[in-house]
Amino acid sequence: MLDDVPLEGPPRRMTSRRARGDAWVAYRGWEIFYLVVFTVTIAIVATDDGPSPAAKATALVLLVACAVAYLVLGRPALLTDERTSREAVIYSLLVLGAFVPAAVIVHAAGFALFALCPQMFMMLRSGWAPVIVVLLNMLPAVRFLIGPDLNVGDVVGSAGFMAVATVFSLVFGPWVSRIIDQSAERAELIEELRASRAQVERLSRERGALAERQRLAGEIHDTLAQGFTSIIMLIQAAEAQADPSRHLALAVRTARENLEEARGLITALTPAPLDGSTLEEALGRIASRLGEELGVPVTFAAEGASHPVPPGAEVVLIRAAQEALANVRRHAAASSARVALRYGERAVVLRVADDGVGFATEADATSDAAGPAAARGYGLRAMRARVEQAGGTLEIASAPGKGTELTVRLPQEETPA
């Protein structure tokens, strides 16, 4: 009957199920319940006046054997990883071999079923546990079949007791089994959630590091790279002039400002043009410097009621103006440019326009694939990413021979009147 029960199980780990958090294992009440039931059973058998002293002694020895088997095999089986382990199978067979004769010899020994039946469901698979429970309840009935005389009262009382015990075991046992399975499933889910949370934390750290690298790349592009480009162009212009002093002076000033940008990047990663000045002053200074470098008029104007802009938005606007004017210098061949800052009730808008060569845009004027290298380079992509992270939009309008206009719109809370 038990041929397909695996007698060789995984290595025993005596505390694994308790450590895993199975409630029915961690709860010491089961052992107290077992102790109380067997103590009461032994007391009932010892004080029973019906059986002979030899029968009571034999039944008591068999019950003690069940208790010893629990301590040696049953309790370790409860603490192993798998049900129907080798210890559980041997223990269930020993219980059948010791308890059934004890219950046949002394009917009162059947009280121990209240402790033994739940154990079967704890230790064995759901398919085998009901079989063992039915055998534990039904086999003692043979005493009525082999007895010299049949007492109707004893038969009815024993049959009723076995029926109640069997039904109780078959109802209560599967419920215990479901608790066991649910406890194991919850433990596995908790471990999976912990692993998932650790993975999310790791991915968040990696994403944060990647975002920081991208931000630093954008800062370096918007500060050092643009400054070095300006210095190179000024030195080249100086080499082509009979009197290079003007361009060299601009190159020296640009180098100093670039050094300040680098120091600001290292210390606080805040835009140096805003250090100690307002947003309008910083934008005006950037526009004026480009005009001096190119020798063409570059104007700046502020529209609307000026009010404080969040530092993050100021950074975005300064960087956008720097990148847009750098593209004017490198690609536009413009005779004039203008920078405008407009304060609205719900948004602050920056526009940088020039009357240069322009370029042909596709249906999506903001596509990185449209236009010349200026519209496809890292600077514009970084600018767009910076603007979108701030919740704003970036638009580019251009046509061949009609210049280019770049518009950055950042939303803000409505300013009270």
Side-chain angles (χ1 to χ4, degrees):
M1 179 174 61
L2 298 175
D3 292 340
D4 61 340
V5 176
L7 297 181
E8 293 293 334
R12 289 168 54 184
R13 291 184 292 176
M14 298 300 295
T15 60
S16 58
R17 284 170 114 176
R18 186 180 298 275
R20 194 174 62 217
D22 289 346
W24 59 271
V25 173
Y27 181 56
R28 301 299 296 270
W30 287 111
E31 295 182 350
I32 298 174
F33 176 73
Y34 181 85
L35 176 63
V36 170
V37 170
F38 255 76
T39 301
V40 172
T41 302
I42 291 174
I44 293 175
V45 172
T47 57
D48 192 350
D49 295 333
S52 64
K56 290 194 293 183
T58 302
L60 290 173
V61 169
L62 293 173
L63 290 175
V64 170
C66 289
V68 173
Y70 171 75
L71 293 176
V72 175
L73 297 171
R75 190 172 185 275
L78 287 174
L79 300 178
T80 55
D81 267 348
E82 301 294 335
R83 282 186 286 174
T84 318
S85 62
R86 178 175 59 185
E87 291 87 350
V89 174
I90 296 175
Y91 173 70
S92 62
L93 294 177
L94 288 177
V95 167
L96 281 173
F99 168 76
V100 171
V104 170
I105 296 173
V106 179
H107 178 63
F111 190 81
L113 287 171
F114 287 104
L116 296 176
C117 291
Q119 289 180 355
M120 299 302 107
F121 287 98
M122 293 179 184
M123 300 179 189
L124 302 175
R125 294 193 184 101
S126 57
W128 288 110
V131 175
I132 301 298
V133 168
V134 170
L135 291 176
L136 288 174
N137 283 275
M138 295 303 178
L139 287 180
V142 298
R143 67 189 294 270
F144 299 106
L145 301 178
I146 63 177
D149 54 350
L150 295 178
N151 186 302
V152 177
D154 290 341
V155 172
V156 173
S158 298
F161 176 82
M162 286 187 297
V164 171
T166 301
V167 172
F168 175 81
S169 300
L170 294 180
V171 172
F172 181 75
W175 176 73
V176 172
S177 296
R178 285 195 296 271
I179 292 178
I180 296 171
D181 295 337
Q182 291 175 358
S183 178
E185 291 174 1
R186 290 191 182 99
E188 293 177 359
L189 288 175
I190 291 173
E191 290 300 324
E192 292 177 1
L193 288 174
R194 287 175 179 169
S196 299
R197 184 169 62 182
Q199 184 178 13
V200 168
E201 291 176 354
R202 178 180 60 82
L203 293 176
S204 297
R205 288 193 299 270
E206 293 177 356
R207 178 166 182 159
L210 177 60
E212 183 64 16
R213 287 196 297 269
Q214 292 176 343
R215 187 173 71 89
L216 288 175
E219 293 286 349
I220 292 172
H221 173 273
D222 292 340
T223 56
L224 303 181
Q226 290 183 2
F228 288 135
T229 300
S230 297
I231 294 171
I232 292 173
M233 294 182 67
L234 289 170
I235 292 175
Q236 290 174 344
E239 292 175 347
Q241 298 292 328
D243 182 11
S245 58
R246 174 178 173 273
H247 291 89
L248 290 178
L250 286 173
V252 171
R253 192 177 74 179
T254 302
R256 288 174 178 170
E257 292 179 356
N258 206 37
L259 179 59
E260 291 299 323
E261 290 273 1
R263 288 173 178 170
L265 178 63
I266 293 172
T267 55
L269 292 177
T270 58
L274 281 174
D275 190 14
S277 61
T278 65
L279 177 60
E280 292 89 338
E281 293 172 346
L283 291 174
R285 187 162 56 250
I286 293 172
S288 176
R289 186 177 63 184
L290 178 66
E292 293 179 7
E293 292 177 4
L294 297 181
V296 299
V298 179
T299 61
F300 168 75
E303 305 171 2
S306 176
H307 58 78
V309 177
E314 289 184 335
V315 172
V316 173
L317 295 172
I318 286 292
R319 297 309 185 206
Q322 288 177 325
E323 176 62 26
L325 293 176
N327 287 334
V328 172
R329 180 177 58 239
R330 289 194 295 263
H331 306 287
S335 60
S336 66
R338 62 186 183 276
V339 179
L341 180 68
R342 182 172 62 85
Y343 294 96
E345 294 182 352
R346 299 181 181 275
V348 57
V349 181
L350 172 71
R351 286 189 174 88
V352 180
D354 65 78
D355 59 357
V357 296
F359 56 89
T361 60
E362 298 179 355
D364 181 6
T366 63
S367 173
D368 282 346
R376 298 192 300 269
Y378 175 82
L380 186 60
R381 292 197 302 270
M383 186 196 308
R384 177 173 291 111
R386 191 191 299 272
V387 171
E388 290 177 351
Q389 288 175 0
T393 59
L394 170 65
E395 298 177 357
I396 300 175
S398 184
K402 296 185 178 180
T404 303
E405 182 177 271
L406 180 143
T407 303
V408 174
R409 180 177 285 101
L410 295 180
Q412 60 179 0
E413 295 182 359
E414 186 175 354
T415 304

